[in-house]
Amino acid sequence: MIPITVDLIFDIGRTNKKVFVLGQQSEILDQQYKNFEETVDEDGFPSEDLQAVSAWVLEMVDHYVFLPKYNVKGVNFSTYGASMVHLDEDGKIVGTFYNYLKEFPAETAARLKKHYPNLDDFSIATQSPYMGFLNSGLQLLFLKYERPESFARIDCSLHLPQYFTFLLTGQKYSEFTSIGCHTGLWDLERKSCAKWLKDENLLKLLPVPSPTDQVIETVYKGVKLNVGLGIHDSSSTLIPYLQQTEEPFVLLSTGTWSISMNPFNQSMLDEQTLAQDCMNFMTINGQSVLASRLLLGKHYAEQVKLLNAHFGVNEDLHKTLPYQVKKSKRKEANQCLFNHHLIAIERFGLQSATKVDLSIFQDFEEAYWHLMDELTDAQVKVLELALGGQTSGKIFVDGGFVHNQYFMQMLKEKLPTHQFLVTEQGNGACIGAAIMLNDTAVLHHKLQNKVIC
């Protein structure tokens, strides 16, 4: 039997870890999923078990590379952003892999003010709101002053996609989509690393950014592989859509974070727009992409757990619930019946309920309708920020929420002049990472035929 030539693409999300075996026509020949229990950092805050995830990645590479039916040609990684891995001279992990939701110490934030007395100036320079650990570059400032013993051992700091590339190749890289996703590391207007890094003598810890489509030829356990540099997952999701159309569009990439991206708006953001949780990402060639975000998936999961517990229903009921029209119990359009402080809906003029009373709902279905009505109100506000005043046009939707009938139907009803489109295959982050390894002509044609209204 002649082995089938394939690529391995890892999609490492905060919640789900996946590996896809892609044939040369981008078809999925095999896939595996894995979830990991979190560990805790030195302060007891929940943290990704990076050692366990790393071991699984290497296990999957070994499994497929040495599986006789496949000839693995390339490997690439699409992972969540805002996370850094710090290595010593021997390539061993230094210290903790920090959760980007961890609270940033006020003392360290005060040190940043030495360089930017007004944090709005930091936001404007880096085109990202100040967000503490979510500005992954600020980890370096935190380690320097709050964990000096660990900091002294750091030889190089990599973003998560490039860490997995390092696992296979032993080589250390940086690339634009990872360094340019609200890290606080890059000055978009000057097109260079942010000034505060030089002032703090931190530049030496960061590799110079390389093109995202660069491929490393390596030998892994005696097998020749082409390994990609890795890519930030939201930016990876955007790539197939940019290749399939020249018409302006916005991409709504859903998951733990719901990210709305407009690659056709490359304007510098002002204080007011940044305060609305907008930012500029970077494409593989360093161009800016207007993005707005919502912690939708995490908040949704927590709210559904509350509903499941209250109504005593199967935890998977929400996945198969067909859309039904209900009459709203909200007395005022901007007053919500659920508590949405986690996603900060107040910035959109919506008001969270301070006390949630689920007894007002007749059953799970009615409560779920109201939950989705409120969540899609917030999602529409975030989309409108990315649309930048566009009153019509294409909105591509990717990720887990494309399968949620309530989510899709309510978006269409609330933005009726826009055309919503999804892809049959989905997995845009996986395809984007694959494109970075391959001749894109075949993938381009394949994706064009998968777009459906």
Side-chain angles (χ1 to χ4, degrees), residues 137-252:
L138 295 187
Q139 274 195 36
L140 298 174
L141 200 65
F142 168 80
L143 288 165
K144 181 177 178 180
Y145 292 105
E146 308 301 329
R147 304 288 188 270
E149 291 184 3
S150 292
F151 179 78
R153 294 169 50 212
I154 298 175
D155 178 67
C156 182
S157 295
L158 303 177
H159 278 95
L160 189 57
Q162 288 72 58
Y163 162 71
F164 288 115
T165 294
F166 168 78
L167 274 186
L168 295 189
T169 68
Q171 298 189 44
K172 302 167 185 175
Y173 283 88
S174 178
E175 54 79 39
F176 286 117
T177 70
S178 294
I179 206 170
C181 67
H182 56 79
T183 62
L185 292 170
W186 195 258
D187 188 317
L188 265 168
E189 193 165 33
R190 294 172 57 238
K191 298 188 184 303
S192 64
C193 283
K195 182 178 179 295
W196 71 270
L197 287 164
K198 183 178 180 181
D199 294 342
E200 291 284 351
N201 196 28
L202 295 172
L203 280 177
K204 61 184 179 182
L205 301 180
L206 301 170
V208 175
S210 298
T212 310
D213 58 358
Q214 183 172 328
V215 174
I216 305 167
E217 294 181 1
T218 193
V219 177
Y220 176 80
K221 296 186 178 180
V223 178
K224 291 183 179 180
L225 292 176
N226 292 327
V227 181
L229 297 194
I231 186 169
H232 172 229
D233 55 6
S234 295
S235 301
S236 185
T237 301
L238 189 60
I239 292 170
Y241 300 95
L242 284 170
Q243 294 218 337
Q244 72 184 17
T245 179
E246 294 181 357
E247 296 180 48
F249 67 85
V250 167
L251 172 63
L252 172 58

Side-chain angles (χ1 to χ4, degrees), residues 8-71:
L8 293 185
I9 306 297
F10 288 86
D11 183 4
I12 309 293
R14 279 281 294 132
T15 306
N16 299 309
K17 278 67 179 172
K18 310 170 190 175
V19 59
F20 298 93
V21 180
L22 295 188
Q24 295 306 285
Q25 301 297 313
S26 80
E27 71 278 20
I28 297 176
L29 302 178
D30 194 10
Q31 56 188 301
Q32 295 197 43
Y33 296 74
K34 183 79 171 180
N35 293 321
F36 292 86
E37 293 291 332
E38 286 187 313
T39 182
V40 294
D41 65 19
E42 65 270 22
D43 299 317
F45 196 83
S47 174
E48 182 86 82
D49 190 342
L50 186 59
Q51 298 287 2
V53 177
S54 301
W56 176 76
V57 166
L58 293 175
E59 177 189 345
M60 290 296 97
V61 172
D62 287 349
H63 172 71
Y64 287 111
V65 163
F66 297 109
L67 199 62
K69 67 185 291 186
Y70 295 132
N71 170 31

